[in-house]
Amino acid sequence: MDEVLVVTEGKALKHVQVREYVRTLVSGAAPGSPAPSERELVHHFGVARMTVRQAMDALVVEGLLERIPGRGTFVARPRRVPSGPTSFTEEMTRRGLLPESQTLLARREQAGPGVARALGLTEGDAVIHWRRLRRADAVPMCIEDAYLNEILIPGFLQSGMPTSLYDALEDRGLRPTWAEDSIAADVATDEEAALLEIEPGGAVLRHSRRASAEERIVEVSRSVYRSDRFTMWVQLGREG
Ligand code: GLP
């Protein structure tokens, strides 16, 4: 019995050793470069071809290597992972800008018909309305009105407004995992123009979002972006 265990452990160790050795060899290698050959690895480690195979398979599953039928095994291109709905903080950081947020209003309100419908509530139900002026590198980028389903985030207004709404939702296990967005061209109202520091009637982009965490709709929002500062970036993909 003991012997079987030792043999199994020994084999597992070899397989992990080979795997980690290959990982080190290919780390930093350009995508498309050939992976070390199985024959060389068999020779180098003095192990069975099966063991090397197992190690390489693990790296293929991990996405570090890819097998191209008839050609061999290569360093894989990094996988494009759908990021899910991103926050203003993440969007600006990705652009190399410093996000800032100034609360213009944060209060409990009764949902109007549009917000109630979008959040899947009844008109008059309690929602939290949070209006912020959002800057990037100290210059206004957008005005953002978020409406949140109060039932899902009890005590939200009492706990001090967070820097990032999505981080705060994440802390409550409610980080949006799905969203539908729409964007339309428009001109700023006088009030918006003053806040955004643009000419009255200047061009803006109106962005709306409905976001849910799994099956629960947590947020609807309307944002007005300065169109001279903001380009929407959308990643599209398809499996397989
Ligand atoms: C984006 C979304 C908004 C969301 C905001 C949260 O701008 N369009 O719907 O409220 O991100 O941003 P943050 O987590 O930085 O507060």
Side-chain angles (χ1 to χ4, degrees), residues 34-54:
S37 86
E38 291 186 4
R39 192 198 304 243
E40 277 162 25
L41 293 168
V42 166
H43 181 73
H44 183 86
F45 282 94
V47 293
R49 200 173 183 105
M50 273 268 291
T51 308
V52 168
R53 239 315 133 114
Q54 207 183 346

Side-chain angles (χ1 to χ4, degrees), residues 120-133:
L121 300 173
T122 307
E123 211 180 317
D125 280 353
V127 289
I128 288 162
H129 178 189
W130 190 11
R131 174 168 243 237
R132 290 180 283 175
L133 174 63

Side-chain angles (χ1 to χ4, degrees), residues 131-142:
R131 174 168 243 237
R132 290 180 283 175
L133 174 63
R134 315 216 63 178
R135 294 187 174 86
D137 276 1
V139 180
M141 180 64 94
C142 72

Side-chain angles (χ1 to χ4, degrees), residues 131-180:
R131 174 168 243 237
R132 290 180 283 175
L133 174 63
R134 315 216 63 178
R135 294 187 174 86
D137 276 1
V139 180
M141 180 64 94
C142 72
I143 308 161
E144 198 151 64
D145 283 284
Y147 295 87
L148 307 154
N149 183 353
E150 212 223 359
I151 301 250
L152 296 175
I153 48 171
F156 186 77
L157 287 175
Q158 284 72 49
S159 48
M161 301 316 275
T163 310
S164 158
L165 170 62
Y166 280 11
D167 283 354
L169 291 174
E170 180 153 15
D171 291 344
R172 294 169 184 246
L174 288 169
R175 160 98 204 190
T177 51
W178 176 90
E180 55 185 337

